[in-house]
């Protein structure tokens, strides 16, 4: 069974912080089902308010993860993979839902652990947003969605060989739908249409509101998310064995969080026939005299 190397170790305090942040994140996404109608005075207030909340939560999480729990080698790996994902994202975005960024998140989260996957999801989307000019109120939602994809990949059960590839491919497909399902909640409540049966209607019971959203998701987004799910699953199936092997070799060679070992220096050999300044020491004479010098043989 392959050994999973965790680049970013998540101690108990960071686990608690990530759990609380994930809870607040879910509340942020699912607020249309829990916030009473009329709470907000305008449609611009919720996305801005929750966007700031997400950024604050992410700042807390990064502070927890980076507080002496990620070494320089893991940070370098995080930067390299974030740059790769930022470069890959424009190649697939906007074409029938095809996304080329998620399979790296899945495989990296699997090898390097949930903490690394969470951080990689955030930094990848942030870097790609700066690269493509996609900075906006939706960016924190995308960052959190990708962070969950990478984090949950690191929490999958152990497997090896073909079983591991099948497990990762199935998770990749599910995560593609999960990302789309959650991201639609960032704009669905603000496209109000009283005459539509799939638009957000303030004041409805939770089950009726959920039925409207599921219908909206199926009609408007399911096909697009299918492209993402299929693309990610196919990439994991085809490139997964090679990429997993490369990641694991890099993890073994980098030896993340390896404890330094120090060895005592070897004592220098001292010639008993020499003085401290390098001159030969006189040998003691059996008769008590000490004026004889050692004889070179």
């Amino acid at each position: 069974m392959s050994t999973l190397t965790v680049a970013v170790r998540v101690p108990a305090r960071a686990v608690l912080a990530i759990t609380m942040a994930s809870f607040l994140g879910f509340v942020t996404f699912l607020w249309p089902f829990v916030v009473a109608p009329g709470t907000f005075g305008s449609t611009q207030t919720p996305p801005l308010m929750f966007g700031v909340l997400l950024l604050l939560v992410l700042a807390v999480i990064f502070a927890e993860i980076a507080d002496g729990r990620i070494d320089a080698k893991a940070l370098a790996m995080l930067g390299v993979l974030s740059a790769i994902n930022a470069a890959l994202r424009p190649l697939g975005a906007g074409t029938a839902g095809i996304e080329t960024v998620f399979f790296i998140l899945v495989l990296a989260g699997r090898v390097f652990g949930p903490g690394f996957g969470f951080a990689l999801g955030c930094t990848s989307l942030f870097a790609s947003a700066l690269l493509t000019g996609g900075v906006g109120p939706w960016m924190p939602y995308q960052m959190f969605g990708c962070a969950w994809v990478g984090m949950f990949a690191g929490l999958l059960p152990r497997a090896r060989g073909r079983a591991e590839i099948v497990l990762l491919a199935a998770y990749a497909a599910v995560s593609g739908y999960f990302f789309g399902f959650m991201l639609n909640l960032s704009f669905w409540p603000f496209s109000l249409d009283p005459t539509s049966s799939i638009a957000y209607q303030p004041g409805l019971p939770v089950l009726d509101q959920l039925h409207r959203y599921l219908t909206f998701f199926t009609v408007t987004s399911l096909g697009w998310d299918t492209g993402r799910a299929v693309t990610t699953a196919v990439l994991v199936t085809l490139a997964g064995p090679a990429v997993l092997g490369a990641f694991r070799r890099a993890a073994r060679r980098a030896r993340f969080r390896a404890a330094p070992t120090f060895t005592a220096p070897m004592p220098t050999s001292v010639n008993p026939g020499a003085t401290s300044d390098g001159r030969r020491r006189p040998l003691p004479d059996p008769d008590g005299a000490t004026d004889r010098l050692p004889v070179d043989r």
Side-chain angles (χ1 to χ4, degrees):
M1 183 176 295
S2 59
T3 302
L4 300 182
T5 301
V6 179
V8 179
R9 300 183 183 275
V10 183
R13 189 178 68 173
V15 169
L16 179 61
I18 290 177
T19 302
M20 295 179 60
S22 296
F23 173 76
L24 291 176
F26 276 111
V27 172
T28 301
F29 278 97
L30 301 176
W31 73 265
F33 306 109
V34 296
V35 175
T39 302
F40 303 111
S42 66
T43 58
Q44 288 78 23
T45 302
L48 293 177
M49 184 182 68
F50 286 114
V52 172
L53 174 63
L54 281 176
L55 288 178
L56 292 176
V57 169
L58 292 176
V60 171
I61 296 302
F62 273 113
E64 287 291 330
I65 293 177
D67 186 16
R69 296 172 176 86
I70 178 171
D71 58 14
K73 293 174 289 187
L75 187 61
M77 179 67 72
L78 179 64
V80 170
L81 294 182
S82 299
I84 292 175
N85 259 355
L88 286 177
R89 193 182 181 199
L91 300 180
T95 307
I98 296 174
E99 292 279 0
T100 55
V101 68
F102 287 90
F103 87 101
I104 293 290
L105 291 177
V106 172
L107 300 178
R110 172 67 174 177
V111 173
F112 299 113
F116 190 93
F118 188 94
L120 180 62
C122 294
T123 55
S124 296
L125 265 292
F126 182 75
S128 65
L130 296 179
L131 183 64
T132 60
V135 179
W138 56 84
M139 187 182 69
Y141 294 89
Q142 294 178 341
M143 291 171 62
F144 229 118
C146 286
W148 281 331
V149 171
M151 183 182 70
F152 291 142
L155 298 175
L156 293 175
R158 290 177 176 269
R160 62 177 179 178
R162 293 185 178 180
E164 183 180 33
I165 299 301
V166 172
L167 174 66
L168 293 177
Y171 170 76
V174 172
S175 65
Y177 289 112
F178 170 78
F179 182 82
F181 182 87
M182 298 301 290
L183 261 294
N184 287 341
L185 288 170
S186 64
F187 65 87
W188 174 67
F190 311 113
S191 55
L192 301 177
D193 185 358
T195 62
S196 175
S197 61
I198 62 174
Y200 174 67
Q201 187 67 37
L204 288 181
V206 174
L207 292 180
D208 293 342
Q209 205 76 271
L210 181 61
H211 179 267
R212 281 175 169 256
Y213 179 70
L214 290 176
T215 306
F216 170 83
F217 172 75
T218 303
V219 173
T220 64
S221 179
L222 185 61
W224 185 275
D225 295 329
T226 299
R228 180 190 300 110
V230 171
T231 301
T232 308
V234 170
L235 288 175
V236 168
T237 302
L238 297 180
V243 176
L244 285 175
F247 284 170
R248 283 173 176 149
R249 285 193 299 271
R252 286 194 299 268
R253 294 179 180 179
R255 299 182 64 194
F256 297 112
R257 305 287 301 179
T261 57
F262 301 95
T263 58
M266 295 296 294
T268 58
S269 59
V270 179
N271 186 1
T275 60
S276 59
D277 57 358
R279 295 183 298 174
R280 294 183 179 181
R281 188 191 306 273
L283 295 178
D285 186 75
D287 299 330
T290 58
D291 56 351
R292 292 197 310 154
L293 295 177
V295 179
D296 294 334
R297 296 178 182 269

